[in-house]
Amino acid sequence: MARALADALGPVADGSAADFSVAVLDTRSGARGVYGDGSYDTASIVKVGILAALLLKAQDEGRQLTARERSYATVMIEHSDNDAATSLWKTIGGADGLDAAHRRLGLTRTRGGDGGRWGLTRTTAADQLKLLTAVFGGAGAGGSALSERSRAYLRSLTGRISDGQSWGVSAAADGTGNGTRLKNGWLPRSTTGLWDVNSIGQVTAGGRTYLVAVLSDGSKDMDSGVALVEKAARAAVRAAAALSACGSS
Protein backbone atom coordinates (compact mmCIF):
# COMPACT_ATOMS: atom_id res chain seq x y z
CA MET A 1 0.00 0.00 0.00
CA ALA A 2 2.95 2.34 0.51
CA ARG A 3 3.37 2.82 -3.23
CA ALA A 4 -0.32 3.58 -3.71
CA LEU A 5 -0.22 6.13 -0.87
CA ALA A 6 2.84 7.80 -2.37
CA ASP A 7 1.07 8.12 -5.72
CA ALA A 8 -2.10 9.46 -4.12
CA LEU A 9 -0.51 11.84 -1.62
CA GLY A 10 2.39 13.14 -3.67
CA PRO A 11 0.15 15.64 -5.49
CA VAL A 12 -1.34 16.74 -2.15
CA ALA A 13 2.15 17.44 -0.81
CA ASP A 14 3.11 19.29 -3.99
CA GLY A 15 0.15 21.62 -3.51
CA SER A 16 0.91 22.51 0.10
CA ALA A 17 3.66 24.39 1.89
CA ALA A 18 2.91 22.45 5.08
CA ASP A 19 4.39 19.08 5.99
CA PHE A 20 2.24 16.03 6.72
CA SER A 21 2.25 12.28 7.25
CA VAL A 22 -0.56 9.73 6.86
CA ALA A 23 -1.11 6.16 8.03
CA VAL A 24 -4.09 4.01 7.03
CA LEU A 25 -5.32 0.48 7.76
CA ASP A 26 -8.05 -1.51 6.04
CA THR A 27 -9.48 -3.33 9.06
CA ARG A 28 -10.95 -6.16 6.95
CA SER A 29 -7.85 -7.16 5.01
CA GLY A 30 -5.22 -5.90 7.41
CA ALA A 31 -3.51 -4.00 4.58
CA ARG A 32 -1.78 -0.91 5.88
CA GLY A 33 0.54 1.81 4.66
CA VAL A 34 2.33 4.93 5.80
CA TYR A 35 3.22 8.08 3.89
CA GLY A 36 5.94 10.16 5.53
CA ASP A 37 8.11 9.31 8.50
CA GLY A 38 8.28 12.59 10.39
CA SER A 39 7.59 13.29 14.05
CA TYR A 40 4.88 15.83 14.94
CA ASP A 41 3.38 17.58 17.96
CA THR A 42 0.23 15.75 18.95
CA ALA A 43 -1.78 18.76 20.13
CA SER A 44 -5.10 17.35 21.39
CA ILE A 45 -5.00 13.95 19.69
CA VAL A 46 -2.85 12.94 22.69
CA LYS A 47 -6.08 12.93 24.69
CA VAL A 48 -6.84 9.49 23.26
CA GLY A 49 -3.50 8.30 24.62
CA ILE A 50 -4.16 9.96 27.99
CA LEU A 51 -7.48 8.17 28.30
CA ALA A 52 -5.93 4.87 27.20
CA ALA A 53 -3.28 5.30 29.91
CA LEU A 54 -5.97 6.07 32.50
CA LEU A 55 -7.92 2.96 31.51
CA LEU A 56 -4.81 0.79 31.74
CA LYS A 57 -4.10 2.23 35.19
CA ALA A 58 -7.63 1.39 36.32
CA GLN A 59 -7.32 -2.12 34.88
CA ASP A 60 -4.05 -2.67 36.76
CA GLU A 61 -5.71 -1.52 39.97
CA GLY A 62 -8.69 -3.82 39.41
CA ARG A 63 -11.22 -1.01 39.41
CA GLN A 64 -13.50 1.02 37.16
CA LEU A 65 -13.02 4.72 36.53
CA THR A 66 -14.30 6.98 39.27
CA ALA A 67 -17.21 9.31 38.57
CA ARG A 68 -14.77 12.21 38.50
CA GLU A 69 -12.47 10.45 36.05
CA ARG A 70 -15.39 9.57 33.79
CA SER A 71 -16.59 13.18 33.87
CA TYR A 72 -13.15 14.45 32.89
CA ALA A 73 -12.75 11.77 30.22
CA THR A 74 -16.08 12.66 28.62
CA VAL A 75 -15.39 16.38 28.23
CA MET A 76 -11.75 15.76 27.32
CA ILE A 77 -12.66 13.57 24.34
CA GLU A 78 -16.05 14.90 23.26
CA HIS A 79 -15.28 18.60 23.71
CA SER A 80 -11.45 18.54 23.82
CA ASP A 81 -11.45 20.20 27.23
CA ASN A 82 -7.89 21.12 28.19
CA ASP A 83 -8.42 21.47 31.94
CA ALA A 84 -9.80 17.93 32.05
CA ALA A 85 -6.80 16.69 30.06
CA THR A 86 -4.40 18.39 32.48
CA SER A 87 -6.11 16.77 35.45
CA LEU A 88 -5.99 13.29 33.92
CA TRP A 89 -2.40 13.86 32.74
CA LYS A 90 -1.47 14.28 36.39
CA THR A 91 -3.48 11.20 37.36
CA ILE A 92 -1.61 8.95 34.92
CA GLY A 93 1.79 10.24 36.06
CA GLY A 94 2.46 12.77 33.33
CA ALA A 95 4.86 12.03 30.49
CA ASP A 96 6.34 8.98 32.22
CA GLY A 97 2.91 7.44 32.70
CA LEU A 98 1.90 8.18 29.14
CA ASP A 99 5.11 6.73 27.73
CA ALA A 100 4.73 3.56 29.81
CA ALA A 101 1.16 3.07 28.60
CA HIS A 102 2.14 3.70 25.00
CA ARG A 103 4.87 1.07 25.20
CA ARG A 104 2.29 -1.47 26.36
CA LEU A 105 0.17 -0.56 23.33
CA GLY A 106 3.06 -0.97 20.89
CA LEU A 107 3.98 2.68 20.27
CA THR A 108 7.75 3.09 19.92
CA ARG A 109 8.27 6.63 18.61
CA THR A 110 5.97 8.69 20.84
CA ARG A 111 7.30 10.69 23.78
CA GLY A 112 5.26 12.65 26.31
CA GLY A 113 5.62 16.43 26.40
CA ASP A 114 8.02 17.92 28.94
CA GLY A 115 7.01 20.07 31.89
CA GLY A 116 3.36 19.10 31.81
CA ARG A 117 2.90 20.30 28.24
CA TRP A 118 0.94 17.29 27.05
CA GLY A 119 0.10 18.98 23.73
CA LEU A 120 3.79 18.95 22.81
CA THR A 121 3.98 15.18 23.01
CA ARG A 122 5.79 14.04 19.85
CA THR A 123 4.49 11.19 17.72
CA THR A 124 4.36 9.68 14.24
CA ALA A 125 1.45 8.70 12.02
CA ALA A 126 2.60 5.07 12.22
CA ASP A 127 2.46 5.17 16.03
CA GLN A 128 -0.98 6.76 16.00
CA LEU A 129 -2.18 3.94 13.75
CA LYS A 130 -0.88 1.48 16.37
CA LEU A 131 -2.89 3.32 19.01
CA LEU A 132 -6.01 3.24 16.85
CA THR A 133 -5.50 -0.48 16.25
CA ALA A 134 -5.20 -1.09 19.99
CA VAL A 135 -8.57 0.62 20.42
CA PHE A 136 -10.51 -0.44 17.31
CA GLY A 137 -8.80 -3.68 16.27
CA GLY A 138 -8.57 -5.00 12.73
CA ALA A 139 -7.38 -8.01 10.76
CA GLY A 140 -4.00 -9.18 12.00
CA ALA A 141 -4.04 -6.69 14.86
CA GLY A 142 -3.44 -9.27 17.58
CA GLY A 143 -4.34 -8.63 21.19
CA SER A 144 -4.51 -5.30 22.99
CA ALA A 145 -3.43 -4.43 26.53
CA LEU A 146 -6.74 -2.61 26.78
CA SER A 147 -9.64 -4.78 27.90
CA GLU A 148 -12.70 -5.04 25.69
CA ARG A 149 -14.58 -2.91 28.21
CA SER A 150 -11.92 -0.20 28.03
CA ARG A 151 -11.84 -0.32 24.25
CA ALA A 152 -15.61 -0.05 24.01
CA TYR A 153 -15.56 2.97 26.31
CA LEU A 154 -12.94 4.74 24.20
CA ARG A 155 -14.82 3.93 21.01
CA SER A 156 -18.05 5.30 22.45
CA LEU A 157 -16.52 8.65 23.42
CA THR A 158 -14.75 9.14 20.08
CA GLY A 159 -18.10 8.52 18.41
CA ARG A 160 -19.67 11.51 20.18
CA ILE A 161 -17.36 14.37 19.22
CA SER A 162 -19.08 17.76 19.42
CA ASP A 163 -20.35 19.15 16.11
CA GLY A 164 -17.82 21.96 15.94
CA GLN A 165 -14.96 19.47 16.05
CA SER A 166 -16.27 16.84 13.63
CA TRP A 167 -13.84 17.71 10.83
CA GLY A 168 -10.67 15.87 9.83
CA VAL A 169 -10.51 12.19 8.85
CA SER A 170 -14.31 12.18 8.83
CA ALA A 171 -14.05 13.83 5.41
CA ALA A 172 -13.03 10.42 4.01
CA ALA A 173 -16.26 8.72 5.19
CA ASP A 174 -19.19 8.23 2.81
CA GLY A 175 -22.00 7.96 5.35
CA THR A 176 -22.23 4.16 5.32
CA GLY A 177 -21.44 1.80 8.18
CA ASN A 178 -21.51 2.64 11.87
CA GLY A 179 -20.41 6.25 11.59
CA THR A 180 -17.13 8.01 12.21
CA ARG A 181 -15.13 7.98 15.43
CA LEU A 182 -12.30 10.48 15.75
CA LYS A 183 -10.22 12.90 17.76
CA ASN A 184 -8.69 16.07 16.36
CA GLY A 185 -5.88 18.31 17.52
CA TRP A 186 -4.85 21.84 16.59
CA LEU A 187 -2.16 24.10 17.99
CA PRO A 188 -0.76 27.48 16.88
CA ARG A 189 2.99 27.57 17.49
CA SER A 190 4.20 30.84 18.98
CA THR A 191 7.73 30.19 17.72
CA THR A 192 6.71 30.14 14.05
CA GLY A 193 3.21 31.58 13.85
CA LEU A 194 2.22 28.38 12.00
CA TRP A 195 -0.26 25.67 12.94
CA ASP A 196 -0.13 21.99 13.87
CA VAL A 197 -3.37 20.29 12.75
CA ASN A 198 -4.00 16.56 13.27
CA SER A 199 -6.83 14.05 13.05
CA ILE A 200 -7.07 10.35 13.93
CA GLY A 201 -9.97 7.94 13.85
CA GLN A 202 -12.11 5.29 12.24
CA VAL A 203 -14.14 5.89 9.07
CA THR A 204 -16.28 3.77 6.75
CA ALA A 205 -16.23 4.13 2.97
CA GLY A 206 -17.49 1.79 0.30
CA GLY A 207 -18.68 -0.67 2.91
CA ARG A 208 -15.20 -1.08 4.43
CA THR A 209 -13.79 0.34 7.63
CA TYR A 210 -10.46 2.17 7.77
CA LEU A 211 -8.31 3.50 10.58
CA VAL A 212 -6.67 6.76 9.55
CA ALA A 213 -4.11 9.08 11.14
CA VAL A 214 -3.14 12.38 9.53
CA LEU A 215 -0.54 14.60 11.22
CA SER A 216 0.63 17.96 9.92
CA ASP A 217 2.58 21.08 10.79
CA GLY A 218 3.42 24.34 9.08
CA SER A 219 -0.04 25.47 7.96
CA LYS A 220 -0.53 29.25 7.83
CA ASP A 221 -3.79 29.04 9.80
CA MET A 222 -6.19 26.48 11.20
CA ASP A 223 -8.54 26.52 8.21
CA SER A 224 -5.79 25.68 5.74
CA GLY A 225 -4.53 22.99 8.11
CA VAL A 226 -7.98 21.41 8.33
CA ALA A 227 -8.32 21.53 4.54
CA LEU A 228 -4.94 19.79 4.14
CA VAL A 229 -5.78 17.07 6.67
CA GLU A 230 -9.13 16.39 5.03
CA LYS A 231 -7.66 16.31 1.53
CA ALA A 232 -4.95 13.89 2.68
CA ALA A 233 -7.46 11.66 4.47
CA ARG A 234 -9.70 11.44 1.40
CA ALA A 235 -6.78 10.64 -0.88
CA ALA A 236 -5.44 7.98 1.49
CA VAL A 237 -8.78 6.21 1.89
CA ARG A 238 -9.43 6.32 -1.87
CA ALA A 239 -6.04 4.72 -2.46
CA ALA A 240 -6.70 2.03 0.14
CA ALA A 241 -10.17 1.39 -1.27
CA ALA A 242 -8.79 1.02 -4.81
CA LEU A 243 -6.36 -1.62 -3.60
CA SER A 244 -9.16 -3.43 -1.76
CA ALA A 245 -11.26 -3.43 -4.91
CA CYS A 246 -8.55 -5.15 -6.91
CA GLY A 247 -7.60 -7.51 -4.09
CA SER A 248 -4.11 -6.13 -3.60
CA SER A 249 -2.34 -5.13 -0.39
Side-chain angles (χ1 to χ4, degrees):
M1 188 187 289
R3 176 67 178 271
L5 285 180
D7 290 343
L9 292 166
V12 179
D14 291 342
S16 174
D19 184 42
F20 69 92
S21 180
V22 181
V24 61
L25 167 71
D26 180 333
T27 62
R28 185 189 302 177
S29 70
R32 69 183 65 211
V34 179
Y35 174 87
D37 191 41
S39 180
Y40 299 81
D41 298 324
T42 56
S44 284
I45 61 169
V46 75
K47 292 168 182 174
V48 175
I50 292 173
L51 181 51
L54 178 67
L55 290 166
L56 287 174
K57 176 178 169 63
Q59 286 177 204
D60 293 344
E61 296 170 353
R63 65 175 179 84
Q64 298 182 22
L65 298 187
T66 67
R68 183 183 181 89
E69 287 169 342
R70 291 179 69 88
S71 176
Y72 282 151
T74 297
V75 296
M76 177 179 72
I77 299 297
E78 295 182 14
H79 301 285
S80 207
D81 187 273
N82 290 337
D83 290 339
T86 297
S87 178
L88 294 182
W89 174 260
K90 294 175 182 176
T91 300
I92 66 170
D96 289 343
L98 182 72
D99 290 347
H102 278 158
R103 286 192 294 270
R104 293 173 64 181
L105 298 172
L107 283 68
T108 58
R109 294 186 58 199
T110 302
R111 297 292 178 269
D114 293 332
R117 295 176 294 180
W118 44 260
L120 296 184
T121 295
R122 299 287 289 180
T123 193
T124 65
D127 258 12
Q128 289 303 300
L129 188 62
K130 292 176 183 177
L131 178 58
L132 291 171
T133 303
V135 174
F136 294 101
S144 172
L146 290 164
S147 68
E148 180 51 41
R149 183 188 183 95
S150 293
R151 295 171 66 206
Y153 180 62
L154 253 166
R155 291 193 296 261
S156 70
L157 293 186
T158 56
R160 301 200 297 262
I161 300 300
S162 62
D163 290 343
Q165 298 177 21
S166 59
W167 46 267
V169 296
S170 55
D174 63 6
T176 63
N178 297 321
T180 299
R181 296 174 171 85
L182 80 162
K183 183 70 191 80
N184 298 324
W186 57 99
L187 179 67
R189 297 309 312 274
S190 59
T191 53
T192 64
L194 302 176
W195 284 70
D196 300 329
V197 181
N198 308 318
S199 183
I200 61 173
Q202 179 192 62
V203 302
T204 303
R208 298 177 80 102
T209 301
Y210 301 91
L211 304 181
V212 189
V214 185
L215 311 181
S216 75
D217 63 31
S219 291
K220 65 180 181 178
D221 51 39
M222 183 173 171
D223 287 346
S224 61
V226 169
L228 171 63
V229 165
E230 293 187 338
K231 188 173 183 179
R234 286 192 294 266
V237 169
R238 281 198 301 265
L243 286 177
S244 300
C246 68
S248 172
S249 63

